[in-house]
């Protein structure tokens, strides 16, 4: 059972990027899922999550700019990021809302820079 992140890259400030989190099994079996990010020297932070019933919550730092969604047919969760800022630069991870140690993957690097 695993979650695999992809879609990161280099983008200019104000740009957009869409991240994917592919589940190895039925994505609803994980329960509530979240996107996390981490910058060197700081703790990993939860920035958005979605429950199995579709309830969504965002951290204040990304509210209004990021959008989380889930496609059950593809067993994939997404994070659409818009109006990106340099401070969004981080490694992005997906995991359950209450993170499970064994589900942490490699993450995907997002760099916002001109």
């Amino acid at each position: 059972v695993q979650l695999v992140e992809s879609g990161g890259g280099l983008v200019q400030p104000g740009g957009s990027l869409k991240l994917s989190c592919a589940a190895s099994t039925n994505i609803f079996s994980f329960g509530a899922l979240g996107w996390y990010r981490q910058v060197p020297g700081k703790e990993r932070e939860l920035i958005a999550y979605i429950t199995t019933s579709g309830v969504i919550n965002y951290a204040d730092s990304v509210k209004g700019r990021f959008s989380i969604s889930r496609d059950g047919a593809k067993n994939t969760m997404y994070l659409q990021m818009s109006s990106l800022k340099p401070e969004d630069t981080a490694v992005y991870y997906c995991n359950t809302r209450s993170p499970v140690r064994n589900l942490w993957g490699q993450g995907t690097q997002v760099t916002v820079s001109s």
Side-chain angles (χ1 to χ4, degrees):
V1 176
Q2 62 177 353
L3 298 169
V4 180
E5 307 91 348
S6 64
L10 174 63
V11 61
Q12 292 188 341
S16 299
L17 212 54
K18 188 173 184 178
L19 306 183
S20 298
C21 171
S24 60
T25 186
N26 186 332
I27 197 167
F28 289 97
S29 69
F30 291 89
L33 283 171
W35 281 101
Y36 299 76
R37 68 184 182 187
Q38 187 173 28
V39 297
K42 292 190 176 182
E43 289 190 1
R44 200 168 303 184
E45 62 168 335
L46 175 67
I47 57 171
Y49 69 83
I50 182 168
T51 70
T52 52
S53 59
V55 174
I56 289 171
N57 189 271
Y58 298 101
D60 288 343
S61 57
V62 305
K63 196 173 296 183
R65 300 187 299 121
F66 290 11
S67 177
I68 189 172
S69 63
R70 180 185 55 215
D71 186 334
K74 297 182 178 180
N75 289 323
T76 301
M77 178 177 66
Y78 302 99
L79 185 68
Q80 176 67 53
M81 305 184 294
S82 303
S83 302
L84 283 162
K85 306 174 182 179
E87 50 264 44
D88 294 317
T89 295
V91 179
Y92 285 70
Y93 303 86
C94 55
N95 203 317
T96 51
R97 170 64 181 86
S98 297
V100 174
R101 182 178 179 180
N102 291 345
L103 286 179
W104 290 119
Q106 302 265 3
T108 186
Q109 174 71 47
V110 172
T111 302
V112 185
S113 174
S114 55

